[in-house]
Amino acid sequence: MLGKREEAKSNLFKLVNLYPSHELTPKSLNRIGEIYRMTQNNEASAKVFQETVIRKPDSKEADYSHVRIADLGIVDPSMRFNNLIFNYDSFYDPVKTYKDVSAKYPETNLAQMAMLREGITLAKEKSYTAAIHKYKKLLAAFPETEIKEDIYALIRESFYNLVDTYYDQNGYLPVIATYHQNLRPFLEEIDRPLTLFRVGESYQAIGLNDLALANYKKVIKQDKKGVLREPLMIKTAEIFFAKKEFKKAEESMRKFIKRFGKSKHAKDAMRLLADSLYSQRKYAKAVTAYTRFLKRFPKGRDASEGYYFLADSYYQQKKYRAALKRFKQSIKIYSPVIGEKELPSYLVDSYFKVGECYFKIKNYSKAVQMYKKAIEKNPNDSRVSLAQFMIAKSYNVLKQGENAKAALKEIQEKPDNEFLKRVAQAEINLLDWEKKYLEDLK
């Protein structure tokens, strides 16, 4: 085959040299350029195509050469030439070249070639949405093209790459939008389970759980080797949990942990099992599940939140000393995310619950201290007035009437809870009466 190409190239060079002005000379030069291109002699190929442009600049053959020079710019963008008159425009801006050629020769094979190359170039530049749009324009302009199936395949490939790119950036909406815009007829035959799985995840991320489940079912049919079996179980259980089907989520995660206890997804499974038990108010079992989760994964943001739910599982069983220890641990190991301005809701609740636990175990001095800390950390929380009331009750038990009265007056200064304001006033009246009564006894 190589020998035939060399022979053809030799004959074409003879034709060009013997008949430099012949009408077939530009075509012959382009054929020589193609032979060099096929043998990956890119520099020689570019120089020959440039020769066509120089000899017959306004011809169709010259525009074909521009397309091929643009192609070479995509294949080997670092290539440089010693020829001072070489025109780098097509080389440096291939997309513009393709656009110009397809506009100049509409409804021709050259236009089809240029549009196809433009789409491929856009895809290589990772402009996947633009590439898909160009492929669709190509099909609209040439509906009977012989390469229709190839273009369908290129659309799917660009979509796969688009999904992978946006998935890494949590760009769920662009994935869903592109999927729906191109579903029929281009994406009906997706044969890549990972892409279907990520489309399902995108649906799930924006709350379209039924569509996510439908996609996951397609993945199960295609994933013959079970590569995605584990994440599929996790994602399906997450949907059960989101739909408040906590029993289904619990059963699914028990099976997962039994079968795939050492999986990289075990952390998600153990946490989801514990959350499912907690949400069913199975607090004793939740304590066991959260304890196992924290024993295996004792650090990080998930651990801080895990300790909160472990603590609250004890709290709901009125085991206040055990709850207190875990609420404090939740606060202790919490590490804020960079740029996070507000505490997460579970941590806010932890501060208030620490105060409540101290009050429940009758350590009133500590209760006052921790309620004040909770208010300081979260001054705009809806529980501030209630915390002030509990501070007042704690002071009252500690026989610190004036401090109790001061705490009650702070409640009255807040406009948010009329009921507590009335209760606070009643308590102040009672404290005043007790004080006067004791004075009268002297």
Side-chain angles (χ1 to χ4, degrees):
M1 179 65 73
L2 185 58
K4 289 184 178 180
R5 286 177 181 168
E6 288 298 318
E7 182 182 350
K9 185 174 68 175
S10 177
N11 290 332
L12 288 166
F13 265 126
K14 288 177 183 177
L15 177 62
V16 169
N17 291 327
L18 288 171
Y19 306 102
S21 301
H22 195 280
E23 62 180 13
L24 293 177
T25 295
K27 290 183 179 180
S28 299
L29 282 168
N30 284 348
R31 291 293 299 276
I32 294 169
E34 289 292 351
I35 292 170
Y36 277 128
R37 189 179 67 84
M38 287 186 285
T39 57
Q40 297 185 351
N41 191 340
N42 294 336
E43 184 174 346
S45 177
K47 287 179 179 178
V48 173
F49 284 128
Q50 176 67 7
E51 187 65 26
T52 304
V53 175
I54 292 169
R55 292 195 183 198
K56 206 168 183 180
D58 297 322
S59 67
K60 191 173 182 179
E61 287 74 18
D63 287 319
Y64 178 91
S65 292
H66 281 303
V67 169
R68 282 312 192 193
I69 291 170
D71 291 347
L72 291 168
I74 299 299
V75 172
D76 189 1
S78 63
M79 188 165 54
R80 292 293 179 270
F81 308 95
N82 295 323
N83 189 341
L84 294 177
I85 63 171
F86 187 87
N87 188 334
Y88 282 94
D89 292 348
S90 301
F91 188 82
Y92 278 136
D93 195 352
V95 171
K96 181 179 183 301
T97 300
Y98 299 138
K99 286 181 181 294
D100 290 345
V101 170
S102 59
K104 189 174 180 180
Y105 302 100
E107 302 179 9
T108 65
N109 287 336
L110 185 56
Q112 179 176 293
M113 174 186 173
M115 293 176 76
L116 178 63
R117 296 302 301 168
E118 183 183 346
I120 292 171
T121 302
L122 289 167
K124 284 185 176 179
E125 293 174 349
K126 298 186 178 182
S127 298
Y128 301 117
T129 304
I132 291 171
H133 181 67
K134 178 54 63 175
Y135 293 140
K136 290 167 70 175
K137 284 187 70 174
L138 172 54
L139 287 170
F142 301 94
E144 303 302 322
T145 178
E146 295 179 356
I147 58 171
K148 180 184 288 188
E149 290 304 316
D150 295 327
I151 297 171
Y152 273 44
L154 287 169
I155 289 174
R156 286 193 292 273
E157 182 183 353
S158 288
F159 179 69
Y160 299 162
N161 290 325
L162 180 143
V163 170
D164 293 343
T165 300
Y166 280 117
Y167 177 84
D168 291 338
Q169 303 168 9
N170 295 330
Y172 304 115
L173 286 174
V175 169
I176 296 302
T178 307
Y179 182 61
H180 278 274
Q181 287 167 5
N182 300 285
L183 178 59
R184 292 182 178 85
F186 308 114
L187 301 177
E188 290 180 305
E189 302 298 326
I190 290 180
D191 56 1
R192 187 173 180 248
L194 180 60
T195 297
L196 283 172
F197 177 72
R198 288 177 169 177
V199 171
E201 282 189 292
S202 299
Y203 279 130
Q204 187 173 348
I206 61 175
L208 299 175
N209 291 322
D210 291 335
L211 288 173
L213 281 174
N215 251 60
Y216 293 150
K217 287 178 181 177
K218 293 178 184 178
V219 176
I220 292 169
K221 289 181 180 178
Q222 288 195 21
D223 186 27
K224 304 298 183 185
K225 295 182 179 180
V227 174
L228 296 168
R229 177 173 50 189
E230 294 175 26
L232 272 170
M233 286 186 71
I234 297 291
K235 290 297 176 182
T236 302
E238 286 177 352
I239 291 176
F240 289 149
F241 189 89
K243 296 172 77 172
K244 301 187 184 302
E245 297 176 4
F246 304 122
K247 183 65 177 175
K248 283 186 178 181
E250 176 198 342
E251 291 171 351
S252 177
M253 290 301 91
R254 286 194 186 280
K255 289 178 183 176
F256 184 98
I257 293 167
K258 187 175 181 180
R259 292 176 65 187
F260 311 113
K262 295 182 179 180
S263 164
K264 66 179 181 179
H265 301 285
K267 181 180 182 180
D268 293 331
M270 293 180 75
R271 174 62 192 274
L272 193 49
L273 171 61
D275 289 348
S276 298
L277 292 165
Y278 176 89
S279 298
Q280 293 175 80
R281 300 184 181 181
K282 297 178 180 179
Y283 297 119
K285 290 183 178 180
V287 164
T288 301
Y290 283 120
T291 301
R292 287 174 177 168
F293 168 76
L294 291 164
K295 184 177 181 180
R296 188 164 171 183
F297 306 102
K299 297 179 180 180
R301 181 73 165 257
D302 289 336
S304 174
E305 192 173 23
Y307 271 111
Y308 165 79
F309 283 106
L310 173 59
D312 205 52
S313 296
Y314 279 121
Y315 184 89
Q316 298 299 332
Q317 298 176 79
K318 303 186 188 313
K319 297 179 179 180
Y320 300 117
R321 291 185 186 277
L324 175 62
K325 181 179 178 181
R326 277 73 181 188
F327 281 128
K328 290 171 74 174
Q329 184 68 5
S330 174
I331 294 168
K332 181 180 178 181
I333 68 172
Y334 167 73
S335 179
V337 176
I338 294 174
E340 188 174 37
K341 295 181 179 179
E342 296 183 357
L343 293 175
S345 59
Y346 79 85
L347 205 71
V348 173
D349 198 49
S350 289
Y351 277 105
F352 284 102
K353 287 281 180 65
V354 167
E356 288 177 35
C357 286
Y358 275 123
F359 187 88
K360 294 287 187 182
I361 63 175
K362 300 182 180 181
N363 189 336
Y364 300 111
S365 295
K366 277 286 189 180
V368 168
Q369 181 183 337
M370 294 312 298
Y371 276 129
K372 285 184 175 181
K373 191 169 185 178
I375 293 169
E376 179 188 340
K377 290 279 185 180
N378 314 280
N380 299 316
D381 192 89
S382 61
R383 288 164 288 189
V384 166
S385 292
L386 180 59
Q388 289 283 7
F389 185 76
M390 298 306 294
I391 289 171
K393 288 193 71 171
S394 298
Y395 276 134
N396 203 21
V397 175
L398 293 168
K399 306 298 183 182
Q400 298 181 26
E402 289 303 313
N403 287 337
K405 189 173 180 181
L408 292 167
K409 284 185 176 180
E410 286 192 45
I411 296 173
Q412 290 189 309
E413 292 172 3
K414 296 184 182 298
D416 57 336
N417 194 319
E418 287 298 323
F419 173 74
L420 269 180
K421 285 170 71 173
R422 289 197 295 272
V423 172
Q425 184 59 56
E427 289 288 329
I428 289 171
N429 293 340
L430 181 60
L431 286 169
D432 287 343
W433 178 84
E434 287 178 347
K435 182 179 179 181
K436 186 174 184 305
Y437 177 75
L438 290 171
E439 287 175 351
D440 290 344
L441 288 178
K442 291 180 180 180

